[in-house]
Amino acid sequence: MKKILFVTSEAHPLIKTGGLADVCGSLPKALAELSQDIKLIIPNYQALKTTEKIRFLCSLRVDNRNINILETRMPDSDVIVWLVDYPAYYNFPGNPYVDELGEPWLNNAERFALFCRIAVEAAMGRVHQDWKPDVVHCNDWQTGLVPALLSLEHNRPSTVFTIHNMAYQGLFPGRTAAVLNLPGKLWHPAGLEFHEMLSFIKGGLIYADYITTVSPTYALEIQTPEFGYGLEGLLEHRKESLGGIINGIDLEQWNPEDDRYIAQNYTAATIHKKRINKAELQKRFGLPIIDDTPLFGLIGRLVEQKGIDLILESLPEMVTMGLQFVLLGSGDKDFEKQLQKLADLYPDKIAITIGYDESLAHLIEAGADVFLMPSRFEPCGLNQMYSQRYGTIPIVRKTGGLADTVTDTLPETIANDTASGIVFNEASSGALLESIKRALILYSSAGTWKKIQTNAMKKDFSWQHSAELYLALYKNL
Ligand code: ADP
C-alpha cells in the first residue's frame, strides 16, 4: 500500500472551475478503492463546499505566517482532505483563480506559493507526524513549486507532476521570485526561471521525478513547438520520464440510467427514450420541439482552445442544413456576444445559455443527437466521453485526448463495431462543416446511427483502469 499526498487547486465536488476538478475529484477516490492510503490537500477557499464535518488538525508557522490545517473528507468517500486555511489569501468570494468580476487575483503567486509550501510540510510529515507520504502527486502550475522545494529536502518522498493543460503555466514577473522568498538555488534558467520570468510549471517539469499528462497523444504533442509554448525542448529532454495516462470519467455522476438531472433515464437497450430528453432540451432552450430535426450541442469554456471561432464561422452555413444548435458556456466576452447575435438572428435554429449550469450540462448530454468539440488542442477532454456514454455522437478534432477516446466512423470501424463518433483533422470551418455533413448523412440512416450510439455507450471510460496505471507508476518511482 502506498501513502499518497494528492496536491490540487480544485477537486469536484468541493470546488470546480473545469476538467481539473473532475479528475482531482475522481482519481483519489479510484486510488482509495484500490486500497491506497491517499490524502488530498487543497486551499480552504470561501467558495469551497462540503457536506462533511470539518475539524481543526493543527497550526503551522511557515514563511512568518500562522496557517491552520483543517481536516475533512471527500463527500461519499474515505479520502481525507486537508484544507489549508489562511483567510487572508483564500477567504474571498470568487473562484480559485479569479475574483467575482473575473479578474485574476493580484496575489495569485503568493496564494499558490504559500499553498505549495504547506504541501511540502505535509509531504515531509510535518503536518501529521504519523503520516509521511511515499509519493506526492502534484497537478498543474498551482502546485509546481512543490517538486522544486522538495528537491531541496533530505529524505523526501517521490514526486509526480501531472500536466492537465500546458496553456496555463503560472508565469509571473521575475522579481516575484524574491517577493516569494524562493531559495536562490532554484532561480536560474535550468530552474524556475523562464526568459527572466518566474514559471511555476517549470518547478514540476524540471524537478518532479516523473511527469504525466492526461492522454498519450498530448504527451507527444507537447514535445512539439505547436503545443509546447517554448517548453517543448525541456519536455523532449525529459521524455524518458514523461508519459500519458488518459482520464476516466465519474460513471456514477454521468450515467444516463439514473441521472437525476435529466427528463428520462435510459440505457443502450432503451435508447428510443432518449428523445424525451431531446424534447425537454428543445423546450428549455425555446426551440421548436421537432424530433426529426438533428440537434447539435456544445458545452464548454468559450475560449480559442475549444475552437469556438470555428463554430462561429460555421454557424451561418449550419443553419441552412436543417439542424438545431444549443450551446452552454461562458468565457471570452467577444465570443459570447457573437454567439448571442447569431442566436438572435436564427431564434428557431440556434439557442445559447451563457453561464455555468451543471444540471443543464447533463440535459444537453442526454438530449442532443450530436456533440461538437472542434478543439484546437485538448489535453484530454471529458465531454466527448460523457457524450459517448449518453449515446450522443461526438464530432471531434483529431488532437490530444479527443484522438485517443473517439473512434471515427469508417466502413471498417462500422464493420468491427468500434465506430463511436466523427473525427476530423484540420482546424478549419471547412473541415468542421464536412464532418457535420457526414454526421447528417449517418443520422439519416437510423440503423447505422443506432449502431454508432450503441458502440459509444458500451465503451469503458471508468477510472479504475487509469488509476491502476497511476499506481503502477508510483510503484516504479
Ligand atoms: P476544460 O478542463 O478544458 O474546461 P474538459 O472537457 O476537460 O475541459 O472539462 C470541462 C468540464 O467542465 C466538464 O465536466 C464540463 O461539462 C464542465 N463545464 C464546462 N463549462 C460548463 C458550463 N458552462 N456549465 C456546466 N458545466 C460546464
Side-chain angles (χ1 to χ4, degrees), residues 16-20 22 165 254 299-301 305-306 328-330 355-358 361 365 373 378-384 386:
K16 167 167 169 174
T17 76
L20 174 65
D22 289 308
N165 195 334
W254 294 93
I299 305 160
R301 294 182 295 118
Q305 172 193 342
K306 303 289 176 184
L328 165 66
S330 65
Y356 189 93
D357 185 336
E358 193 140 340
E365 290 294 5
M373 217 159 159
E378 195 61 77
C380 178
L382 296 168
N383 278 309
Q384 82 281 10
Y386 301 153

Side-chain angles (χ1 to χ4, degrees), residues 154-166:
H154 291 293
N155 224 344
R156 66 168 177 88
S158 304
T159 49
V160 175
F161 183 78
T162 297
I163 304 164
H164 297 261
N165 195 334
M166 276 296 290

Side-chain angles (χ1 to χ4, degrees), residues 262-264 266 271-296 322-324 326 362-370 392 443 449 453:
I262 65 180
Q264 172 67 51
Y266 61 98
I271 186 93
H272 56 279
K273 292 189 187 165
K274 190 176 188 316
R275 65 160 60 98
I276 299 169
N277 293 304
K278 178 170 177 175
E280 178 65 20
L281 183 57
Q282 288 168 323
K283 188 172 135 207
R284 284 273 281 277
F285 272 92
L287 290 171
I289 302 172
I290 311 170
D291 188 48
D292 288 345
T293 305
L295 176 53
F296 286 57
L323 57 79
Q324 295 174 337
V326 296
H362 283 250
L363 184 64
I364 293 174
E365 290 294 5
D369 296 301
V370 180
T392 301
Y443 182 79
W449 193 255
Q453 286 179 308

Side-chain angles (χ1 to χ4, degrees), residues 191-213:
L192 298 176
E193 192 180 337
F194 183 65
H195 301 290
E196 286 157 31
M197 306 273 284
L198 167 64
S199 165
F200 271 53
I201 200 173
K202 272 188 81 189
L205 305 187
I206 289 187
Y207 297 99
D209 297 318
Y210 200 90
I211 305 163
T212 70
T213 184

Side-chain angles (χ1 to χ4, degrees), residues 334-366:
D334 209 43
F335 284 152
E336 290 180 359
K337 265 190 226 139
Q338 291 185 60
L339 285 163
Q340 189 61 60
K341 221 160 119 186
L342 283 165
D344 294 343
L345 210 56
Y346 305 103
D348 56 352
K349 300 218 164 69
I350 303 175
I352 68 164
T353 296
I354 299 297
Y356 189 93
D357 185 336
E358 193 140 340
S359 74
L360 189 55
H362 283 250
L363 184 64
I364 293 174
E365 290 294 5

Side-chain angles (χ1 to χ4, degrees), residues 19 39 48 72 112 117 123 131 204 209 241 248 337 341 362 380 383 407 415 423 442:
K39 295 193 202 300
L48 188 135
T72 180
F112 289 109
R117 285 186 192 274
W131 199 84
D209 297 318
S241 311
K337 265 190 226 139
K341 221 160 119 186
H362 283 250
C380 178
N383 278 309
T407 306
V423 181
L442 292 166

Side-chain angles (χ1 to χ4, degrees), residues 63 71 76 85 88 119 151 169 200 271 319 331 344 364 382 388 408 418 440 445 456 458:
D63 217 21
E71 186 174 273
D76 305 321
D85 190 44
S151 75
Q169 304 188 354
F200 271 53
I271 186 93
V319 295
D344 294 343
I364 293 174
L382 296 168
Q388 289 174 83
D408 196 12
T418 55
L440 293 175
S445 156
K458 68 171 194 241

